[in-house]
Amino acid sequence: MKSLINEPDMNFHLKLNDQSFHIPYELLQKNIKQTNKLIERETQQIQENFKKLNDSFESNSLKGDQDALQELNSIIKGIDTFEKTLKKRVSKELEILDRIKARVQFFETQEQLTLKEDRDGLINWYQQYTNVLIGDYLLRNNLSLSNKLGDTTSKLEEENSGVTFLKQQHLEKLLDYDVLLTANKIANSLVEFHDLSPLLTWINENKNYLKKNRCTLEFETRFQEHIELLKKGLYREAIDCYQTYLIPFIKDNFNDLKLAAGLLMFIQCFGTSVFTNEDNNLKKKSNDNVYELLFHKKMLNENPNVALINENGMKFCYDAYDSSRYKELLSVNRWHSLKNYFLKEYYSMYGISTNDPLLIYLSLGISTLKTKACLHENNNSISTNQDLFSYVNNRVINNKCPVCSDSFAKMSESLPYAHHTESKLFENPIMLPNGNIYDSKKLKELAVKLKESNLCNLNENEIMDPIDKRIYPADEFITMYPT
Amino acid sequence: MVALLQVLKSDLSKFYDDEQMEEPCIQKCLDDTHEFKTNLRKLKAHLNKQIQESQNADSSTAPKEDAKLKRRRSLIIEKLNKSHKQWEHSLKKNSKHVLQQQNKFHKNSLSKLNEFSIDQVYLNKIPNDSKSDIKDAIGYHISRYNIGNLPVSGKDEIMQYLKNVYGIDEIISNKFVVMGQIIQDLKKNNLNTCFQWCQENKTTIGSSQFSSLEFELYFLNALELIKVGNTVETAKYFIEGIPQDSLIAIKSDIISKVPRLLTQVILGQQIQDIDCLMEEQLTKCINLFTKVFCEHNNLTKDSPIFLITLSGLISFQYFIKYRTIRAVAHVDWTTKDELPFDVKLPDFLTHFHPIFICPVLKEETTEENPPYSLVCHHIISKKALDKLSKNGTITFKCPYCPVNSARAKTNKVKFIGI
Ligand SMILES: [Zn+2]
Ligand SMILES: [Zn+2]
């Protein structure tokens, strides 16, 4: 199929957008697995019920039959509930399939437009494509609006400008915004509210994936939980957390556990201020002296007996007093690292690109459009005739290049130029005495317009150079041969 | 190369039971469960009756009655178990089938789509401090393309809405408010505001555009009247409603479109696909109006962010190809500030700046290396000029023709597109 505007072929379009098919596939997998679990449970249950039922019938007595009737009643009730739950799953499946359908249709439209050689329609289609990218960008980056805890999904949808935009453009089926909104919600709860519960819920729901990829996200989350409990002074809970959630990871995260234990120690003794103030007294003493002071024991240097530590509620200290490491544990930045780690895992699970797709397109596009003539002022000399100046500025030598536009000029400075091997010039190039080369036809048309609107006094066969406003006779044109 | 879209479509259709792709296979689980429940209810009623009859039966009941009861009872038990087995079997089969379909979908279609990740070409990152510029660019884009879809009308409400929901500055939204309002009206079948705008803004410069627009609006109105169905009114409008200026400017358009339709109307014939025609005409009017409005108000018709995104999309395959080559051959960009490949763009994306490639050195002329005109009026870059003239010390022959030039006799030139 011939391309109309040098666009790539359909296969490439699809590969470019494999996310829009991969994400719903993941959602379908999740849904069907949950459905199958549900079905498994229910069929198991009904099997048991029917066994009871048949047993009651076995007795061949009136009482048995009455028991069977009761059993049958409860079976029917169970099936009824099951049906309702199943219905939800089936609706979800239908909704996800609907998304895939809409996306296939969207790309089919592109094919049809190319077939019909409808250039305007095709450009319109790409404008819709851009809208989806913009919607995605707004979705991901729109954390400024309220994202309070306990916001229901529908409220989140209402308030996210990306979702609003997609809905107004009737493109909401082309983007899996629910997946992105969930990521937002969890990320936000970490960074804005320092709340670990949404993340822990998500980790629980996706244990298998995380385990398969040997991800330490759960450990890091529990570690943060431990730290937060310590900050609040809840030592009992902190120790519980340590024992229940952190100890299981001891094999791979021994050093972190050491740090956690040490932190507990120092916070218990000195409060969190020991790491925020520059307490010179403590710094003066040597490391070992500190331990002696606290525990009346020399510092242990070999690997300690962890079980012993557990038993005694960590009354031994066994590492160097390094305030910088502990300070790090208490810093707010840990929340940002945790958020980034979470997003990395979440995105890779669904196959979502790490960078905003819109930015990728912009980076490529700017370089493709950036010529050596971009970002330079085209000196439009100011004349006393204000009307003439503004006419020339707005209609004649106005720069419509997107790279040179206000919004993009600054960010384009640092991006590479396009590579050109062929000249792209206007027709009928003629040179004026001042060295400027124009399209002679356009110069003559301009002269006509200037005369008609009385912006410039021109005689027959005279033209005006729009840059310096000087008047030249047309017979002074010198034909140029640039190619 | 296999057409992936077809493969996708065919795999997708396997998720549905019907041709129209409205009933997913998994629906069957629900249907079967519902049927099972209904059966159970029926059998429960039978069993109930059975129990009651058994209770009423006593030793005086004839053995034939007794036997009948017994038969019915065993029938109920049999049906219950059969129904159960059927349901269980069907459910398991169906859910397994759906899972298989999904796995096939992955193997067949999805895996073929997974050739590269778009992150791989993101080498020149957009600087972090550009966030507000991007916000402005998006604001311009939304003002340009979305006001027609907003749930509010009225100039102040629109600008307020754009500010609140999208954070768009009034300076930007102000450029397109009037246009957006008129588009909203057009969509609601109100053509008056558009006509009015044409009247108020017609200038001699570019009047042919306005005439075109007025004609298309007139035609849309005519189609609407056809839909309403009042033949006399419609015919009258057809004849009397032609905008004055259009008569002169676009005679050919009028001749091709109007008489045929008018004849059909007068003869009382049904116009086929009137809704489709109207929709097409509406889109045409909106597009043309947008074009005229933007030109009249000196705004770019396509938003910069759209043009750049489109360029990005067109250039994508070059970047991907290059990345593959780079990975294999361990080559890298020789000039860090220029792309290592040439991207072919369509005309409407390349007419912003004139581009001149020096025929001698084969590179683009710049401010630092501008084009120079030789005595014969052929053009080369300054660097080439210095090289050929050995820094102005000798005369040299033009690369295109036999004329000799000396550097002193050359002039710096500048290509200016208007
Ligand atoms: Zn430019
Ligand atoms: Zn020459």
Side-chain angles (χ1 to χ4, degrees):
Chain A
M1 218 177 294
K2 193 178 67 148
S3 80
L4 293 177
I5 53 174
N6 301 91
E7 79 277 12
D9 64 14
M10 177 47 68
N11 278 1
F12 191 82
H13 279 87
L14 292 174
K15 289 181 193 168
L16 211 50
N17 290 279
D18 72 327
Q19 284 178 64
S20 17
F21 297 103
H22 191 89
I23 299 175
Y25 165 74
E26 287 293 328
L27 294 174
L28 281 175
Q29 287 287 82
K30 276 201 166 126
N31 196 38
I32 201 67
K33 286 194 178 130
Q34 283 173 328
T35 311
N36 283 357
K37 253 198 225 150
L38 180 70
I39 290 177
E40 191 66 45
R41 259 206 327 259
E42 187 70 16
T43 47
Q44 188 76 346
Q45 177 66 47
I46 298 293
Q47 254 179 25
E48 285 170 18
N49 290 355
F50 259 77
K51 185 152 186 312
K52 261 197 236 154
L53 186 75
N54 284 324
D55 285 343
S56 303
F57 277 132
E58 280 295 294
S59 71
N60 230 330
S61 61
L62 186 63
K63 174 79 174 39
D65 283 4
Q66 281 171 331
D67 285 340
L69 188 68
Q70 291 288 57
E71 188 66 37
L72 190 56
N73 254 337
S74 72
I75 289 178
I76 292 176
K77 266 209 203 96
I79 297 278
D80 198 44
T81 329
F82 169 68
E83 196 184 350
K84 290 201 176 77
T85 324
L86 186 63
K87 195 158 189 205
K88 285 201 201 117
R89 295 260 153 252
V90 171
S91 310
K92 180 87 183 158
E93 181 98 0
L94 189 60
E95 191 260 313
I96 301 171
L97 286 175
D98 222 26
R99 293 187 208 184
I100 304 182
K101 226 199 319 184
R103 292 161 202 196
V104 169
Q105 274 169 3
F106 183 62
F107 286 102
E108 273 189 317
T109 314
Q110 198 268 12
E111 252 188 358
Q112 286 162 2
L113 289 166
T114 319
L115 253 168
K116 280 197 288 186
E117 299 200 0
D118 180 354
R119 204 164 178 271
D120 285 335
L122 189 65
I123 293 177
N124 221 39
W125 186 88
Y126 281 108
Q127 192 252 307
Q128 298 279 292
Y129 187 98
T130 308
N131 286 348
V132 179
L133 288 172
I134 290 180
D136 174 286
Y137 178 83
L138 287 175
L139 247 161
R140 290 202 204 195
N141 289 282
N142 210 332
L143 301 173
S144 58
L145 300 174
S146 86
N147 221 333
K148 289 192 274 289
L149 288 175
D151 266 354
T152 57
T153 322
S154 55
K155 186 142 194 281
L156 284 176
E157 277 180 22
E158 266 167 39
E159 298 191 347
N160 185 302
S161 64
V163 180
T164 313
F165 181 59
L166 289 172
K167 287 195 173 155
Q168 284 172 351
Q169 289 283 327
H170 309 295
L171 297 171
E172 67 270 26
K173 288 200 187 154
L174 300 185
L175 191 70
D176 301 290
Y177 59 83
D178 53 346
V179 171
L180 291 172
L181 280 177
T182 310
N184 270 5
K185 176 159 162 243
I186 299 178
N188 231 26
S189 70
L190 292 176
V191 166
E192 296 277 319
F193 304 111
H194 293 186
D195 176 25
L196 290 167
S197 33
L199 179 56
L200 286 169
T201 318
W202 184 81
I203 289 175
N204 252 333
E205 289 168 0
N206 294 281
K207 264 196 185 329
N208 289 334
Y209 173 81
L210 294 172
K211 206 182 269 174
K212 220 189 345 171
N213 291 13
R214 282 189 252 166
C215 187
T216 56
L217 186 63
E218 184 172 2
F219 173 74
E220 294 294 336
T221 313
R222 292 293 182 192
F223 196 8
Q224 191 65 27
E225 189 179 359
H226 175 81
I227 294 174
E228 292 304 310
L229 289 169
L230 286 179
K231 277 198 222 173
K232 292 196 190 117
L234 300 168
Y235 302 118
R236 180 81 247 159
E237 287 83 349
I239 295 174
D240 279 341
C241 173
Y242 191 96
Q243 290 176 324
T244 324
Y245 297 116
L246 296 182
I247 292 288
F249 291 97
I250 193 158
K251 207 168 41 144
D252 298 315
N253 303 85
F254 189 61
N255 289 324
D256 286 322
L257 266 107
K258 276 205 290 189
L259 267 175
L263 187 67
L264 171 69
M265 214 65 273
F266 288 107
I267 288 188
Q268 255 186 322
C269 298
F270 300 113
T272 54
S273 60
V274 74
F275 299 115
T276 49
N277 305 335
E278 292 300 322
D279 197 324
N280 289 313
N281 285 336
L282 274 176
K283 274 198 155 185
K284 282 204 197 105
K285 298 197 161 59
S286 74
N287 291 350
D288 290 351
N289 287 345
V290 173
Y291 295 129
E292 269 199 87
L293 196 75
L294 288 175
F295 307 110
H296 313 291
K297 280 186 183 336
K298 285 277 184 203
M299 189 173 81
L300 297 173
N301 282 320
E302 307 90 349
N303 279 342
N305 184 336
V306 177
L308 205 63
I309 291 174
N310 264 351
E311 254 177 87
N312 293 287
M314 298 175 290
K315 289 205 180 69
F316 296 117
C317 239
Y318 49 94
D319 213 327
Y321 171 58
D322 185 352
S323 84
S324 65
R325 274 193 305 164
Y326 291 112
K327 231 195 233 169
E328 228 175 77
L329 287 184
L330 296 174
S331 102
V332 167
N333 287 336
R334 281 191 66 87
W335 287 104
H336 287 271
S337 326
L338 190 62
K339 166 193 121 179
N340 288 338
Y341 193 7
F342 156 68
L343 281 180
K344 177 165 158 278
E345 290 307 318
Y346 189 92
Y347 283 172
S348 92
M349 183 170 95
Y350 283 106
I352 302 176
S353 61
T354 338
N355 299 292
D356 296 307
L358 178 69
L359 297 184
I360 301 178
Y361 281 82
L362 289 182
S363 157
L364 266 49
I366 289 175
S367 283
T368 307
L369 286 171
K370 189 177 176 193
T371 69
K372 299 290 183 1
C374 281
L375 309 178
H376 290 305
E377 290 287 320
N378 217 346
N379 328 333
N380 181 5
S381 75
I382 305 181
S383 72
T384 46
N385 188 339
Q386 183 59 10
D387 289 330
L388 179 62
F389 173 74
S390 65
Y391 178 77
V392 167
N393 212 22
N394 292 337
R395 306 252 167 218
V396 186
I397 53 174
N398 56 340
N399 187 352
K400 294 216 175 102
C401 169
V403 170
C404 300
S405 71
D406 293 331
S407 314
F408 290 102
K410 183 151 169 278
M411 75 178 88
S412 305
E413 276 169 24
S414 52
L415 296 174
Y417 288 93
H419 180 68
H420 291 113
T421 48
E422 281 177 8
S423 297
K424 271 223 156 46
L425 297 168
F426 38 78
E427 292 175 342
N428 323 306
I430 57 94
M431 181 174 72
L432 296 177
N434 58 16
N436 288 341
I437 303 180
Y438 294 94
D439 179 336
S440 76
K441 193 160 144 218
K442 297 249 169 88
L443 266 187
K444 292 188 182 152
E445 285 171 358
L446 175 62
V448 168
K449 289 209 185 112
L450 290 175
K451 268 193 284 198
E452 267 180 15
S453 38
N454 261 327
L455 286 170
C456 184
N457 239 337
L458 291 170
N459 294 329
E460 193 74 38
N461 242 10
E462 275 184 345
I463 58 94
M464 184 192 81
D465 179 327
I467 300 277
D468 62 9
K469 313 289 181 306
R470 286 219 274 251
I471 301 177
Y472 301 94
D475 40 14
E476 278 190 29
F477 282 2
I478 304 174
T479 320
M480 303 302 286
Y481 307 96
T483 48
Chain B
M1 183 77 227
V2 60
L4 292 175
L5 190 58
Q6 291 310 106
V7 178
L8 256 176
K9 235 179 122 183
S10 122
D11 277 345
L12 182 63
S13 67
K14 300 217 179 84
F15 283 116
Y16 293 91
D17 270 329
D18 60 333
E19 277 284 319
Q20 288 76 25
M21 300 220 278
E22 264 156 42
E23 267 202 41
C25 295
I26 200 172
Q27 176 77 18
K28 204 156 177 298
C29 289
L30 202 59
D31 293 339
D32 285 342
T33 305
H34 190 78
E35 196 186 311
F36 182 45
K37 191 174 81 178
T38 319
N39 275 349
L40 288 181
R41 284 212 171 114
K42 253 196 292 185
L43 291 169
K44 178 181 118 181
H46 284 309
L47 184 61
N48 212 3
K49 185 163 157 232
Q50 175 75 12
I51 290 175
Q52 283 179 355
E53 287 187 6
S54 295
Q55 277 178 322
N56 297 338
D58 50 25
S59 47
S60 63
T61 323
K64 212 161 121 194
E65 287 292 317
D66 222 26
K68 204 159 122 197
L69 275 174
K70 277 210 166 58
R71 258 206 319 272
R72 244 196 279 152
R73 181 176 174 279
S74 35
L75 199 64
I76 292 174
I77 298 176
E78 191 190 313
K79 279 207 175 133
L80 277 173
N81 281 303
K82 186 161 156 220
S83 203
H84 170 227
K85 281 280 170 286
Q86 250 182 341
W87 170 81
E88 186 180 317
H89 175 78
S90 163
L91 223 64
K92 287 203 166 149
K93 188 174 109 182
N94 223 339
S95 59
K96 195 166 139 206
H97 171 75
V98 173
L99 185 60
Q100 275 177 342
Q101 274 316 114
Q102 281 178 206
N103 290 336
K104 257 200 225 151
F105 177 64
H106 186 265
K107 213 171 112 196
N108 228 9
S109 311
L110 272 192
S111 55
K112 299 205 175 85
L113 293 180
N114 193 13
E115 192 178 293
F116 51 78
S117 142
I118 58 178
D119 285 318
Q120 291 170 345
V121 296
Y122 193 39
L123 300 170
N124 306 301
K125 314 243 163 143
I126 303 280
N128 257 331
D129 57 2
S130 313
K131 287 234 183 271
S132 73
D133 281 335
I134 295 184
K135 183 160 171 279
D136 286 341
I138 293 179
Y140 186 94
H141 182 92
I142 294 180
S143 305
R144 157 71 179 84
Y145 294 101
N146 203 36
I147 297 186
N149 299 336
L150 293 184
V152 295
S153 38
K155 186 158 184 233
D156 290 326
E157 284 88 341
I158 290 178
M159 294 188 33
Q160 189 65 23
Y161 182 93
L162 289 175
K163 187 79 195 274
N164 289 341
V165 176
Y166 296 110
I168 301 179
D169 220 48
E170 282 94 356
I171 309 174
I172 300 176
S173 54
N174 199 22
K175 298 185 187 180
F176 291 104
V177 176
V178 176
M179 184 183 99
Q181 283 181 302
I182 297 181
I183 293 180
Q184 278 185 357
D185 287 340
L186 286 176
K187 286 190 181 176
K188 290 188 216 147
N189 272 338
N190 173 7
L191 307 180
N192 291 329
T193 43
C194 200
F195 269 121
Q196 211 182 344
W197 183 87
C198 287
Q199 289 295 327
E200 287 169 7
N201 290 283
K202 255 198 282 213
T203 50
T204 46
I205 310 174
S207 64
S208 68
Q209 299 261 30
F210 281 93
S211 315
S212 260
L213 178 58
E214 284 184 327
F215 173 72
E216 299 296 344
L217 287 173
Y218 149 81
F219 199 69
L220 180 62
N221 216 1
L223 288 178
E224 273 172 37
L225 285 175
I226 292 179
K227 186 135 188 244
V228 167
N230 185 333
T231 317
V232 173
E233 282 283 328
T234 313
K236 207 165 136 206
Y237 180 78
F238 255 108
I239 300 167
E240 293 173 8
I242 294 188
Q244 286 310 313
D245 303 317
S246 303
L247 275 171
I248 317 153
I250 28 167
K251 239 158 105 185
S252 58
D253 259 350
I254 304 178
I255 296 177
S256 64
K257 282 185 174 175
V258 174
R260 189 171 52 91
L261 222 49
L262 179 56
T263 324
Q264 283 185 298
V265 168
I266 294 179
L267 292 179
Q269 283 175 355
Q270 252 305 50
I271 314 279
Q272 281 175 326
D273 305 326
I274 184 75
D275 283 322
C276 194
L277 276 175
M278 273 181 70
E279 221 186 285
E280 270 178 30
Q281 186 63 17
L282 177 63
T283 315
K284 200 169 184 188
C285 284
I286 293 179
N287 287 342
L288 188 53
F289 165 65
T290 310
K291 188 159 159 229
V292 176
F293 184 95
C294 287
E295 218 177 282
H296 183 77
N297 288 290
N298 202 31
L299 298 162
T300 49
K301 173 170 162 288
D302 301 305
S303 71
I305 202 172
F306 164 52
L307 293 176
I308 295 179
T309 306
L310 181 57
S311 305
L313 187 135
I314 294 175
S315 70
F316 230 105
Q317 48 184 350
Y318 297 85
F319 281 88
I320 299 275
K321 240 185 247 171
Y322 179 72
R323 208 197 141 267
T324 331
I325 295 173
R326 197 161 143 257
V328 172
H330 299 289
V331 295
D332 219 324
W333 297 9
T334 45
T335 3
K336 275 291 173 202
D337 75 337
E338 204 177 279
L339 296 182
F341 43 77
D342 189 358
V343 179
K344 287 216 176 337
L345 289 174
D347 277 332
F348 68 95
L349 290 175
T350 53
H351 64 24
F352 302 116
H353 300 284
I355 299 170
F356 178 66
I357 308 291
C358 170
V360 178
L361 297 175
K362 304 270 192 280
E363 45 178 46
E364 194 178 340
T365 52
T366 68
E367 287 263 315
E368 297 80 26
N369 181 25
Y372 271 72
S373 154
L374 301 179
V375 167
C376 51
H377 302 140
H378 286 124
I379 305 179
I380 62 175
S381 69
K382 181 167 193 304
K383 281 211 301 216
L385 174 62
D386 289 341
K387 187 156 170 243
L388 287 176
S389 71
K390 295 232 203 297
N391 245 325
T393 53
I394 60 162
T395 60
F396 57 94
K397 181 186 101 59
C398 161
Y400 283 121
C401 70
V403 175
N404 275 347
S405 300
R407 190 170 78 171
K409 290 267 169 45
T410 60
N411 293 311
K412 184 165 111 168
V413 293
K414 190 168 186 189
F415 288 96
I416 302 177
I418 53 174

